[in-house]
Amino acid sequence: MDVLDGDYIHAETEWDELLWLRQRTEAPKGCRVELVDGIVTVAPLARVRHQFLVAHVHRRLCAAVPTWGVLQRCPLAVPSRLGIYLPDITVVPEEELHAAEERCLPAAAAALVVEIASRATARVDRTVKVHAYASAGIPLYLLLDGLAPDGPVCTLHARPEKGAYREVSRVRCGEPIELPAPFDLVIDTAEFPEA
């Protein structure tokens, strides 16, 4: 890497340069700083109901896979999409956690990611992240979208292949949604707080 003007670098690859830039992006405490298609984005602090929903799903997942890592806002790297994402929840087999780098987890290590749409993130959660997570080979992507245009829905994307999910299960919030093995978990979305 070459330092330019004492403050900026020119790296070997665009990815290395973006990593350097993201690490030096200052944002208000609690904000989410992500790389989305090579652009540093900052989203505001989530609302209390959002955090309550994260905690509810987190507890259910911890019970389903007690020896795995069930992490909140863990940075996932998708270099092919010039992305570093901070899903609300990432579930990772324990052996993958031991092999992970310090700052970012390779997205392919995740078995499941969960995003809860907010006004600041809904568009990216519904479009960019679906393609990024599929191209990284993440087996399951659960999107809880209380802001969907046709009403609150929960969507489970599964079986990624060639950068797209091949199966999509969608239920209205208030109905149960089933996560397949290794989770074998039914989440009753009627228990969710209103968005």
Side-chain angles (χ1 to χ4, degrees):
M1 285 189 223
D2 298 324
V3 177
L4 305 175
D5 292 333
D7 213 16
Y8 192 75
I9 59 111
H10 177 68
E12 297 284 325
T13 67
E14 184 177 15
W15 177 247
D16 290 336
E17 197 168 332
L18 287 169
L19 288 176
W20 183 89
L21 182 63
R22 180 186 174 268
Q23 290 171 353
R24 284 154 183 81
T25 299
E26 292 187 33
K29 193 172 189 169
C31 287
R32 179 186 302 218
V33 178
E34 296 180 303
L35 276 177
V36 177
D37 288 337
I39 298 170
V40 177
T41 65
V42 179
L45 186 64
R47 295 184 174 189
V48 172
R49 282 181 283 190
H50 182 107
Q51 294 302 330
F52 179 77
L53 184 52
V54 169
H56 178 80
V57 175
H58 186 266
R59 283 191 300 274
R60 296 296 314 278
L61 291 168
C62 285
V65 285
T67 62
W68 289 24
V70 182
L71 313 169
Q72 293 183 23
R73 296 178 67 172
C74 176
L76 289 182
V78 185
S80 65
R81 299 287 304 223
L82 297 178
I84 295 179
Y85 306 101
L86 286 109
D88 289 298
I89 301 172
T90 303
V91 183
V92 184
E94 189 174 7
E95 61 274 7
E96 295 289 348
L97 288 173
H98 294 298
E101 292 183 27
E102 289 183 34
R103 295 195 186 270
C104 287
L105 186 68
L112 165 70
V113 292
V114 179
E115 294 283 7
I116 299 165
S118 68
R119 293 195 197 308
T121 66
R123 184 191 62 76
V124 170
D125 292 343
R126 293 176 193 140
T127 58
V128 175
K129 288 185 179 181
V130 172
H131 299 294
Y133 294 156
S135 68
I138 298 173
L140 299 170
Y141 171 37
L142 178 61
L143 174 60
L144 309 177
D145 191 350
L147 303 170
D150 55 346
V153 295
C154 299
T155 306
L156 180 65
H157 302 271
R159 291 193 44 229
E161 187 179 308
K162 297 181 183 173
Y165 284 105
R166 298 295 171 210
E167 289 182 13
V168 178
S169 302
R170 188 174 159 124
V171 300
R172 293 231 166 260
C173 283
E175 298 174 10
I177 191 157
E178 185 174 341
L179 301 183
F183 302 98
D184 296 321
L185 174 65
V186 175
I187 298 176
D188 182 2
T189 66
E191 299 171 0
F192 291 173
E194 292 182 22

